[in-house]
Amino acid sequence: MASMSEFRRVADEVRNWGRWGDDDELGTLNFITPEKVAEAASLVKRGAVIPLGGDFSAGGPQGAFKFRQNPTHVMTVDGGDASTLVQYGPEWLRNAVAGDVSAFFADNPFRFNDDMVVMPLQAATQWDAISHVYYEDKLYNGFPADSVTSFGAFHLGIEKVDVKGITSRGVLLDVVKHRGAEVFLEPGNPVTPAELDDIARAQGVAIAAGDIVVVHTGWWTRFLSTGDGAEPGSGLDWTCASWLHDHDVAAVAADNLMVEDPDPANGVEGTFLPMHMICLRDMGLMFGEYWDLGALAADCAADGVYEFQLIAPPLKVVGAVGAPVSPIAIK
Ligand code: UVW
């Protein structure tokens, strides 16, 4: 376990505050230039579209924490309204509840279904906005922590990143394959910066400025077979923050809950999720979590190509500190 003074040394070294201006709200997404977007598009050779989004459903991974639940999906208009309720429902119900719908359905063949969902924005495949995590009363770029209010984030909300897509060159680093793990990385052995370098070398791929690094730990594949969202797994060692900084990475995503290894024994004395603290708050680097990387890993292993065009725009929920996303990799 590292000391708090080591944590502070690293945080000071990688802090990007002021680097792109005092009012910057994009952080390391600034590494994604128009040239980078064009380069990413040039990686499309086969027209293969690989979805990286998990399901948003009652069978999702939430439940391990009481403050996050799985989505509740409710139909607000459906075929039953047309065939049963509107025709046979008691008059008071037709007037009170289905009045609106019965007006639509009267004397014409047009029918429709509608629905709504209630869920935490972190329910499944998501981006953490850089306002998601902070410490000592400051968000990225020195914005005050109390600028995130019950009305939402006045700074660094997820809607601010729309100007970057988010799209760039994606690079998969497949730790599962590199370690020869059966399915996923068991707790207790976080991925170090040296291992990330070894994996990139073994895969014949180099990380460049503006890349979005996508880390395959196998956790989501494991979850799909067990349905156990509370099962612990491993992830990046917190010192990978410096590796991401040194490579001018635009964002990092993984197929697990936290990107980083959550075991306090591998972290920093006296705190929790130190990589979140440094990356989001000091570097302004977003985390993608719960991405489904099984098909992408299989495709990359088959053709030996670990780079692709990544397209991953979050839902533009104004003032949100994270948002669902259905990313796609195109090769
Ligand atoms: C927290 O850091 C609390 O959550 P997440 O892993 O979703 O970023």
Side-chain angles (χ1 to χ4, degrees):
M1 189 184 298
S3 65
M4 191 41 93
S5 58
E6 175 61 2
F7 171 87
R8 288 193 189 284
R9 189 192 62 74
V10 174
D12 289 347
E13 216 168 73
V14 303
R15 189 169 301 123
N16 285 323
W17 296 10
R19 182 171 180 171
W20 295 285
D22 290 343
D23 56 355
D24 176 59
E25 304 204 24
L26 294 175
T28 51
L29 292 181
N30 281 293
F31 289 128
I32 305 175
T33 60
E35 295 72 30
K36 189 75 194 178
V37 174
E39 179 205 336
S42 76
L43 298 173
V44 177
K45 311 285 185 210
R46 292 159 33 217
V49 176
I50 305 164
L52 311 179
D55 291 348
F56 283 80
S57 75
Q62 296 300 340
F65 302 114
K66 298 252 183 318
F67 57 88
R68 286 185 189 158
Q69 295 84 33
N70 281 316
T72 301
H73 176 219
V74 180
M75 299 307 297
T76 48
V77 180
D78 63 34
D81 299 332
S83 62
T84 314
L85 189 66
V86 173
Q87 290 179 51
Y88 304 115
E91 196 180 342
W92 69 266
L93 186 60
R94 273 186 278 146
N95 292 338
V97 181
D100 231 21
V101 175
S102 54
F104 269 112
F105 288 179
D107 302 329
N108 79 76
F110 169 78
R111 296 288 181 268
F112 70 99
N113 300 307
D114 257 26
D115 50 1
M116 60 181 273
V117 66
V118 180
M119 66 176 196
L121 293 171
Q122 294 79 9
T125 310
Q126 57 158 308
W127 279 117
D128 283 350
I130 45 184
S131 48
H132 178 50
V133 164
Y134 64 96
Y135 59 95
E136 291 166 356
D137 293 331
K138 294 275 191 249
L139 304 166
Y140 166 72
N141 223 6
F143 290 115
D146 64 7
S147 62
V148 181
T149 74
S150 58
F151 294 96
F154 284 91
H155 289 292
L156 309 168
I158 197 72
E159 80 280 9
K160 301 279 169 58
V161 306
D162 64 344
V163 291
K164 291 294 178 184
I166 297 170
T167 182
S168 191
R169 174 184 184 241
V171 176
L172 181 76
L173 295 180
D174 190 345
V175 193
V176 177
K177 180 165 184 287
H178 188 74
R179 287 192 183 177
E182 204 168 314
V183 181
F184 80 129
L185 311 187
E186 306 276 351
N189 193 9
V191 184
T192 63
E195 190 174 8
L196 292 178
D197 283 332
D198 287 348
I199 296 169
R201 206 173 304 115
Q203 292 180 177
V205 72
I207 306 299
D211 286 348
I212 296 175
V213 171
V214 180
V215 183
H216 183 219
T217 75
W219 189 90
W220 189 265
T221 305
R222 169 79 171 181
F223 164 72
L224 290 179
S225 72
T226 63
D228 180 3
E231 182 164 11
S234 192
L236 298 184
D237 189 79
W238 74 277
T239 55
C240 291
S242 297
W243 185 93
L244 296 165
H245 180 77
D246 293 347
H247 289 82
D248 291 342
V249 165
V252 63
D255 53 354
N256 58 6
L257 165 60
M258 293 173 176
V259 176
E260 69 183 291
D261 190 295
D263 186 348
N266 301 318
V268 172
E269 176 183 38
T271 191
F272 180 54
L273 299 186
M275 193 178 160
H276 271 67
M277 293 165 71
I278 290 184
C279 288
L280 292 160
R281 186 261 203 186
D282 292 305
M283 293 168 61
L285 181 136
M286 290 169 60
F287 281 11
E289 294 167 335
Y290 285 144
W291 291 29
D292 181 355
L293 302 177
L296 179 64
D299 189 276
C300 294
D303 71 0
V305 177
Y306 284 84
E307 58 180 359
F308 42 87
Q309 183 187 30
L310 178 67
I311 301 180
L315 204 59
K316 200 172 167 184
V317 184
V318 175
V321 300
V325 59
S326 283
I328 50 172
I330 315 181
K331 294 175 76 179

